[in-house]
Amino acid sequence: MRHQQSAEPIGYPFARDSAIEPPPALARLRETAPIRKVRTADGGDAWLVTRYQDVRELLGHPAFGTQYPGSIPTADEDDLASGFMFLKDPPDHTRLRRSVTRAFTARRIAGLREHALSLATGLVESMLAEGPVADVQEAFAYPLPIAIISELLGIPAAERGRFRGWADIVLRSVGGAPEEVGLAFLDLQRFVVDLVDAKPDGDDLISDLVRQRDEPDGLDRVEVASMAMGLLMAGYVTTASAIGHGLLRLFDHPEVLDGLRSGGLETGRVVEELLRLQDEETGIQRIAQSDVDICGVRISTGETVIASRVGANRDPAEFERPDALRTDGARSPHLAFGHGIHHCLGAALARMELTVALDALLRIPGLRPADPPHEVRWRSEGMDVSIERLPVTW
């Protein structure tokens, strides 16, 4: 069946007034026009896909890639971003992912969990010592993932302060005018390249990748540096925001909070629902590599299609009571980490961090918001809705 399409694209992303609930326009669109032409903030046109099964099909479809057909971005020391794995298509993506998967082992995640538990306990103890009011984002949610990324990449302890300073300017716009952000990004790139050149000297991810350099599918020094930068970009602010999103939603569900605190609910199970419900700003973009039909619409070569994860994850055709935080019964797999060949490589790490974070924070007796919800500071730009400030008390 072919869907009727309006000739005039509608503005996207949609206006929103909540950090944790999607714009109402998204649900209306999913019901009436599951694929719709939209005009993005940069003035370009794209197709927006909002239903679960359609989003899964799109993200797993070989006719959709991350780059314009024929475009092959090449990274160098001054442009590591062009080498990010999530911006690559096969066969480059296949080689890069195969190599890093060998180093991103379950054993490494288990080791990082022990480190995360120690870090989270220390951050909570510091909050309690300085309380009884704290901004949980600044005191806990930002320090935890950046420390874990530093451990994962093998950044020397003496250098971690500088590393976080640059990351905060680049990824959080902390004290950064545009020119400062640009300089910080260059400094961060040089730091990561120098870090790679100093390896291998440990059991961290970068050392593993450098040692595998001469193996089949091994990565060269710039590719290893790009991988390190990509992990930082994908795993810092997004994880910090997931902690804030999760807490905000749990504060609205005291029965779930009580279950977690008493041990009656498994944190990992609740984390999956929190991830399913977490909001986003712009979805996942793909570009048609050839003419292809999807959702009853012919997509032409070079056209952009946006997969709305939050639209899919709240699709009533796939999830009973899709807007509810449910802790009973089985759910379909959510798409918070994407689907297909670009499914998030760090999904297990993110799940672990969020589980450890919530377990640590909910050990604080009487933890609750310090301000009314409307005073929580958040920002919607890029792919995610970032929680920037979340005052709590106990």
Side-chain angles (χ1 to χ4, degrees):
M1 176 179 124
R2 290 188 175 270
H3 296 287
Q4 295 298 315
Q5 296 297 320
S6 169
E8 183 63 28
I10 57 176
Y12 182 80
F14 305 127
R16 61 184 311 123
D17 57 10
S18 170
I20 62 173
E21 299 300 339
L26 188 63
R28 293 194 295 268
L29 204 62
R30 184 178 54 222
E31 178 66 25
T32 61
I35 182 168
R36 181 66 160 81
K37 184 67 74 73
V38 296
R39 179 151 295 150
T40 60
D42 63 4
D45 288 353
W47 294 97
L48 179 66
V49 177
T50 50
R51 289 183 179 174
Y52 181 90
Q53 292 297 338
D54 295 336
V55 167
R56 276 180 61 93
E57 179 186 357
L58 166 62
L59 295 179
H61 203 301
F64 291 97
T66 61
Q67 298 293 328
Y68 194 83
S71 172
I72 304 176
T74 303
D76 57 39
E77 293 185 18
D78 297 318
D79 182 21
L80 296 181
S82 292
F84 287 169
M85 185 174 66
F86 53 82
L87 297 179
K88 296 285 190 177
D89 292 323
D92 279 350
H93 174 270
T94 307
R95 178 180 63 85
L96 292 170
R97 188 169 181 112
R98 185 183 296 129
S99 182
V100 77
T101 297
R102 291 199 300 261
F104 220 98
T105 61
R107 180 179 177 185
R108 171 162 282 123
I109 300 299
L112 285 171
R113 182 183 180 85
E114 293 303 311
H115 185 61
L117 287 168
S118 176
L119 286 168
T121 298
L123 291 169
V124 166
E125 289 174 351
S126 296
M127 286 174 59
L128 292 173
E130 297 182 16
V133 176
D135 172 10
V136 77
Q137 293 301 102
E138 199 60 47
F140 184 95
Y142 285 121
L144 182 65
I146 195 67
I148 293 173
I149 290 171
S150 297
E151 185 75 8
L152 173 69
L153 300 181
I155 296 172
E159 301 289 343
R160 292 184 181 185
R162 284 202 306 156
F163 177 69
R164 183 185 174 185
W166 289 321
D168 282 343
I169 294 172
V170 171
L171 299 176
R172 296 176 54 202
S173 300
V174 173
E179 61 272 15
E180 292 174 297
V181 173
L183 289 172
F185 189 77
L186 292 175
D187 288 338
L188 187 56
Q189 287 191 128
R190 281 193 289 267
F191 175 85
V192 171
V193 170
D194 290 344
L195 183 69
V196 171
D197 286 341
K199 301 287 183 179
D201 65 352
D203 58 0
D204 55 89
L205 182 70
I206 290 180
S207 292
D208 277 1
L209 292 174
V210 171
R211 281 190 288 265
Q212 295 170 10
R213 181 167 41 197
D214 297 326
E215 297 181 11
D217 297 326
L219 309 185
D220 64 33
R221 58 192 289 274
V222 172
E223 288 174 330
V224 174
S226 289
M227 187 68 67
M229 281 287 285
L231 290 169
L232 168 64
M233 296 291 194
Y236 178 25
V237 175
T238 54
T239 303
S241 289
I243 295 170
H245 276 272
L247 267 184
L248 274 175
R249 196 170 300 282
L250 288 173
F251 287 149
D252 286 338
H253 293 79
E255 73 288 352
V256 179
L257 273 177
D258 290 344
L260 289 171
R261 286 170 170 150
S262 69
L265 287 176
E266 179 189 354
T267 309
R269 186 182 184 91
V270 174
V271 161
E272 292 307 306
E273 272 291 87
L274 295 175
L275 288 167
R276 182 183 68 82
L277 291 167
Q278 184 171 339
D279 203 359
E280 66 179 355
E281 180 64 359
T282 58
I284 301 173
Q285 292 196 9
R286 293 288 181 263
I287 300 173
Q289 306 298 296
S290 60
D291 292 353
V292 58
D293 290 332
I294 190 168
C295 310
V297 169
R298 169 57 58 97
I299 308 297
S300 299
T301 302
E303 285 195 294
T304 298
V305 184
I306 300 172
S308 173
R309 291 172 298 174
V310 69
N313 284 336
R314 291 175 182 247
D315 186 349
E318 193 68 32
F319 301 99
E320 183 182 356
R321 295 168 52 213
D323 297 323
L325 174 59
R326 290 188 55 188
T327 58
D328 61 318
R331 289 285 209 190
S332 296
H334 63 71
L335 302 178
F337 294 114
H339 177 66
I341 64 171
H342 288 284
H343 181 271
C344 178
L345 184 67
L349 178 62
R351 285 182 165 104
M352 178 274 286
E353 290 184 59
L354 190 51
T355 300
V356 167
L358 292 178
D359 279 343
L361 288 168
L362 295 183
R363 284 197 293 271
I364 301 175
L367 184 71
R368 61 192 185 277
D371 287 335
H374 67 271
E375 294 186 18
V376 172
R377 192 165 69 221
W378 54 277
R379 179 175 59 181
S380 57
E381 60 181 41
M383 283 189 64
D384 297 299
V385 182
S386 298
I387 307 293
E388 295 189 309
R389 181 176 181 271
L390 177 53
V392 296
T393 188
W394 51 89

